[in-house]
Amino acid sequence: PDEADVHGIGFHRRHLYAILQSLLIWLVYSQILCPISIGKLYHWIRGQAMLKLYVLIAIVEVFDRLLCSFGQDAWDSLYWNTTRRPRHPRLFVSIIVVGVYVTIHSLFLFVHVATLSVAVNSADHALLTLLISGNFAEIKSTV
């Protein structure tokens, strides 16, 4: 064994996975999310009709669940390719797929946060009531 491995300070493939995770998340944050003005998004969402907000919230919640499921598989694939086949071309495909996933899911969550902010700050409390009742229905279905 190598001297570094005996002392436990060697670079392992799982370290590459952690580096790739951090790099992908930082790139999406710095290149995609930072340029978006939350104020402009908030006012655009606030200007929509109440019915559109109901639909927007429902769509975002459905896609959030779907993207969480897909994302788990994408991250698992990246981990497997990083630790088992670090020089195989599928590693680059996994990096691209996870990068696209992180970008799309981050944008959906960004819109979700802005929509919830509009709901909390709106004078019409019907939207907030709908959100709370939807969450109670979800809790009831899981219990």
Side-chain angles (χ1 to χ4, degrees):
D2 188 28
E3 179 80 21
D5 288 338
V6 172
H7 297 290
I9 57 173
F11 184 80
H12 298 283
R13 292 178 184 161
R14 66 180 177 274
H15 297 140
L16 177 62
Y17 174 71
I19 291 170
L20 287 174
Q21 269 185 319
S22 302
L23 184 65
L24 283 168
I25 292 171
W26 178 79
L27 282 173
V28 168
Y29 165 74
S30 65
Q31 301 300 313
I32 306 293
L33 294 179
C34 278
I36 297 174
S37 170
I38 189 71
K40 288 180 183 178
L41 180 64
Y42 174 87
H43 287 291
W44 179 81
I45 291 172
R46 187 172 174 209
Q48 302 301 312
M50 199 56 67
L51 183 61
K52 284 184 182 179
L53 289 178
Y54 292 137
V55 172
L56 183 63
I57 288 172
I59 288 172
V60 167
E61 287 180 355
V62 167
F63 274 103
D64 180 43
R65 289 187 189 111
L66 290 172
L67 286 169
C68 282
S69 177
F70 175 77
Q72 185 65 43
D73 292 336
W75 284 111
D76 288 345
S77 175
L78 180 63
Y79 179 78
W80 194 85
N81 284 320
T82 303
T83 57
R84 303 288 194 282
R85 303 185 293 190
R87 290 180 184 84
H88 198 274
R90 285 190 185 177
L91 175 63
F92 299 111
V93 173
S94 290
I95 291 171
I96 291 170
V97 167
V98 169
V100 170
Y101 155 73
V102 169
T103 301
I104 292 171
H105 201 181
S106 297
L107 290 172
F108 267 99
L109 291 176
F110 207 67
V111 170
H112 196 212
V113 167
T115 307
L116 291 177
S117 180
V118 168
V120 169
N121 294 326
S122 70
D124 183 16
H125 295 291
L127 183 61
L128 188 58
T129 305
L130 177 72
L131 291 174
I132 292 171
S133 66
N135 287 338
F136 280 128
E138 182 179 330
I139 290 170
K140 184 180 173 184
S141 69
T142 58
V143 172

